[in-house]
Amino acid sequence: MSDRDNIHTVWLVEDAELLRSTLQAVIDAESDFECPVAVRSCEDFLAALDTESPPHLAIVDIGLPGLSGLEVQARMVEMGLTAPVIFITGHGDVPMAVEAMRGGAVDFLQKPFDNQVLLARVKQAIARGRDLRLEAEQRSLAEARLAALSPREREVLALLVEGRMNKI
């Protein structure tokens, strides 16, 4: 395994140029992270998803003009992306945070926030994303194994699940 295999990509969507460049620099300064995609709109983010390899984590300003962060989160789910999302906002409220969390967000940070708090949340989200990818791989493997069973093997498996003995 190379050192590149331990680098986690964090994509950033923030319309305020100064904050976007600052957050990108903070993320890039960490040895385990890189922020190769930092864009100003959700539309740019979705366009990059079509051309780049997907991120390990997305940090998205929830209240951007045009497509909102919540709409991007829904599109990521539709695309089958398991990358966790951390929402940031300057004008959040409880219903917005609840909707984000119900949609699968791993965190919701109110601006201004401390960079060290953000980095701690990024680390937690990366670990959660790794767990989600592992679960998806295991589920896919199990589905493939089940699909490979013959009809008789499926019948026997159903009986085993019911608690019957293999001999019977």
Side-chain angles (χ1 to χ4, degrees), residues 32-120:
D32 293 346
F33 307 129
E34 68 177 357
C35 187
V37 176
V39 294
R40 63 176 301 148
S41 72
C42 291
E43 292 83 357
D44 292 345
F45 175 84
L46 291 173
L49 278 175
D50 289 338
T51 60
E52 302 284 333
S53 61
H56 291 105
L57 171 70
I59 300 173
V60 182
D61 187 333
I62 199 166
L64 296 174
L67 283 177
S68 74
L70 292 171
E71 291 170 310
V72 164
Q73 181 184 33
R75 296 250 181 108
M76 288 175 68
V77 169
E78 289 170 8
M79 296 169 75
L81 296 176
T82 59
V85 177
I86 294 176
F87 282 114
I88 56 176
T89 186
H91 307 288
D93 56 22
V94 172
M96 184 186 294
V98 168
E99 185 177 351
M101 300 308 269
R102 282 187 178 154
V106 294
D107 220 323
F108 191 94
L109 296 174
Q110 187 89 23
K111 297 175 191 173
F113 46 79
D114 181 83
N115 291 339
Q116 294 308 311
V117 169
L118 176 67
L119 288 174

Side-chain angles (χ1 to χ4, degrees), residues 1-21:
M1 185 187 308
S2 72
D3 287 342
R4 288 293 306 154
D5 294 335
N6 295 322
I7 302 296
H8 303 286
T9 57
V10 178
W11 287 19
L12 176 63
V13 184
E14 168 59 54
D15 60 339
E17 186 175 343
L18 181 59
L19 181 56
R20 185 175 63 246
S21 62

Side-chain angles (χ1 to χ4, degrees), residues 130-162:
R130 186 175 33 248
D131 293 345
L132 289 173
R133 283 190 304 279
L134 181 59
E135 287 173 14
E137 289 171 10
Q138 290 173 338
R139 185 174 28 262
S140 178
L141 180 60
E143 288 170 356
R145 287 179 175 165
L146 284 172
L149 293 177
S150 70
R152 177 64 182 146
E153 289 170 328
R154 282 192 208 125
E155 184 181 338
V156 170
L157 177 62
L159 294 171
L160 287 172
V161 169
E162 288 178 7

